[in-house]
Amino acid sequence: MKKPAYILFIMLLAGYSGAYSQELSLAGMASAWAGAGYSDRWTEQLGARYIPGLEFTYPLKQKLNIEGEFSGSFVSSYTNPSDEDKLYYKAKPYRMWLKLSGNQFELRAGLQKINFGSASMLRPLMWFDQLDPRDPLQLTDGVYGVLGRYYTLNNTNIWIWALYGNKTKGWEAFQTEKGTLEYGGRLQLPVPKAEIGMTFHHRMAEIEYIDPFNGLQSVNIPENRFAVDIRANLALGLWLEDAVSMADSPYSYKYTNMLTLGADYTFGIGSGLKLMAENLTISLMDGPAGSKTTNITACSVSYPLSIIANLSAIIYYDWNQEEVYRFLNLGLTYDRFSFYLMGFWNPQNLAIFDLDTAPSIFNGRGFQLMAVFNH
């Protein structure tokens, strides 16, 4: 199905569902930005994004509800100078799901956001989203799939999911084999002053490699991921997130271990100064070139200047490359309007959080001004 017809189908389905709902809401978020950055040259960018959405709830008998969300993303930007097209435009579905829910369960199917874990800035469990902690809007593509969750009376959560037809997501370097199903699950257990999560995911990864005689080739390899995360609320907020990926391939690393340790604390200074720190260790093992370890540390500070103003900063340090990523954000919120003045000072070639497929000016140093309207 062509993209314009696909988007039209989403809107018609949303309208049909909303016509029979008892609670229907139309909402949207419009944002526009202007910025400039200097790497090996000055680059200027103007851009705009609009995310219109429709949500509905339809109560059924026996304490059941049917809910739905249908939204699209329309983004355009002009970058000058640019090594690619100066004018960029893309329209696509943003969320498109239906959910059946009761007192202790929910079943959601369609294009949705699935995320979990204890870490905030350097997330080994960033499996199905690409949230950048520096993005004030916290936007991310969704995944197509079915998610079921069951909640026990003691706050234990059981998750089960199946995904199909998605491109690379999260930290993935290789596509999922076309026509195959991904599946997994998660168990969250409350313990005194803490919560523990255990997660599993399976897929068939399509790994590409260069054959000296036949050129670019691909091989399909089963990939299994296992993770545990713990968050404790003591004198400090403390958390651990550890994820292991296993793919038995002679063309890439067989084992990838990502471990994050983090802590945060709010000081009683003024309106409350919040500090957060995380360290991520990435270990690649049993590959064609042996083993490799990477360490990245992130620190953030946030301080509310007033009811409407907040100042925050994030610093990343790549210990292997000895490079520093700096980000500063002043945010103002007035009812439905928000304004952000962001400054950045990064390496010329981004090695972390280069996630957005749209043109970006965040390499090098520069600034960006963003205005947001929610309706």
Side-chain angles (χ1 to χ4, degrees):
M1 186 180 292
K2 300 296 184 180
K3 285 187 177 180
Y6 187 54
I7 296 172
L8 179 60
F9 171 76
I10 296 170
M11 298 304 179
L12 289 175
L13 179 59
Y16 175 80
S17 301
Y20 293 92
S21 65
Q22 290 191 3
E23 295 182 18
L24 174 67
S25 62
L26 295 171
M29 181 179 68
S31 59
W33 63 89
Y38 180 82
S39 180
D40 55 347
R41 60 187 180 184
W42 277 102
T43 302
E44 299 83 31
Q45 186 179 88
L46 298 173
R49 184 193 305 266
Y50 183 50
I51 301 179
L54 180 150
E55 298 180 7
F56 72 90
T57 301
Y58 187 83
L60 300 174
K61 296 180 180 180
Q62 299 178 348
K63 298 181 180 180
L64 296 177
N65 290 304
I66 293 180
E67 302 173 52
E69 179 182 348
F70 303 89
S71 59
S73 174
F74 305 87
V75 60
S76 180
S77 65
Y78 177 80
T79 307
N80 182 55
S82 175
D83 296 331
E84 301 177 357
D85 294 335
K86 291 184 177 181
L87 183 61
Y88 172 87
Y89 174 79
K90 191 168 188 178
K92 61 182 180 181
Y94 186 66
R95 300 288 183 262
M96 185 179 62
W97 53 262
L98 292 172
K99 180 174 73 173
L100 175 66
S101 61
N103 287 341
Q104 293 179 242
F105 82 95
E106 64 179 52
L107 182 65
R108 188 171 61 188
L111 178 60
Q112 56 188 291
K113 182 176 77 171
I114 302 178
N115 67 333
F116 39 74
S118 304
S120 300
M121 296 180 291
L122 297 167
R123 301 168 47 220
L125 275 168
M126 189 174 66
W127 287 358
F128 309 130
D129 68 87
Q130 292 187 324
L131 287 169
D132 187 336
R134 298 169 298 182
D135 177 12
L137 305 183
Q138 289 296 278
L139 300 177
T140 181
D141 288 341
V143 291
Y144 290 95
V146 178
L147 170 66
R149 289 191 283 202
Y150 179 75
Y151 311 94
T152 67
L153 296 180
N154 70 342
N155 291 325
T156 297
N157 297 347
I158 301 172
W159 304 38
I160 299 177
W161 59 77
L163 310 179
Y164 185 83
N166 296 291
K167 297 181 179 180
T168 54
K169 51 200 179 296
W171 295 101
E172 291 176 357
F174 305 104
Q175 296 274 7
T176 299
E177 180 186 357
K178 293 182 180 179
T180 61
L181 189 70
E182 306 177 58
Y183 57 87
R186 175 175 171 83
L187 176 65
Q188 291 181 199
L189 298 170
V191 296
K193 296 185 179 181
E195 186 175 70
I196 299 176
M198 292 170 283
T199 314
F200 165 77
H201 185 71
H202 170 83
R203 71 171 184 139
M204 293 296 296
E206 184 177 337
I207 299 177
E208 295 184 340
Y209 64 97
I210 301 296
D211 186 283
F213 302 102
N214 300 309
L216 182 64
Q217 301 292 313
S218 65
V219 59
N220 298 320
I221 300 295
E223 178 190 80
N224 293 303
R225 305 177 202 167
F226 302 88
V228 60
D229 60 283
I230 304 171
R231 188 177 190 95
N233 296 313
L234 305 173
L236 300 174
L238 300 172
W239 56 91
L240 173 150
E241 196 167 296
D242 190 13
V244 178
S245 174
M246 296 181 291
D248 191 8
S249 168
Y251 308 105
S252 66
Y253 291 99
K254 295 182 180 179
Y255 303 97
T256 301
N257 183 67
M258 303 179 70
L259 171 65
T260 287
L261 299 174
D264 66 5
Y265 187 77
T266 300
F267 294 87
I269 301 174
S271 302
L273 179 68
K274 183 177 181 179
L275 296 180
M276 180 187 301
E278 290 183 345
N279 186 82
L280 170 65
T281 300
I282 305 175
S283 301
L284 307 176
M285 296 165 283
D286 291 339
S291 301
K292 179 181 179 181
T293 300
T294 300
N295 280 281
I296 302 172
T297 300
C299 297
S300 74
V301 57
S302 177
Y303 183 78
L305 300 175
S306 66
I307 297 178
I308 64 171
N310 186 78
L311 182 64
S312 61
I314 302 179
I315 296 178
Y316 293 91
Y317 184 72
D318 186 333
W319 294 90
N320 294 61
Q321 302 297 324
E322 297 183 346
E323 293 181 327
V324 183
Y325 297 72
R326 309 168 185 89
F327 179 80
L328 181 67
N329 180 27
L330 173 62
L332 303 172
T333 302
Y334 301 90
D335 295 326
R336 297 185 177 185
F337 289 92
S338 299
F339 302 93
Y340 303 96
L341 177 59
M342 296 168 278
F344 55 91
W345 188 353
N346 297 323
Q348 292 189 10
N349 298 312
L350 296 178
I352 60 174
F353 284 109
D354 187 19
L355 302 175
D356 197 353
T357 56
S360 172
I361 61 170
F362 282 96
N363 54 322
R365 57 188 182 272
F367 71 93
Q368 185 176 92
L369 177 64
M370 178 182 292
V372 183
F373 174 66
N374 292 283
H375 67 84

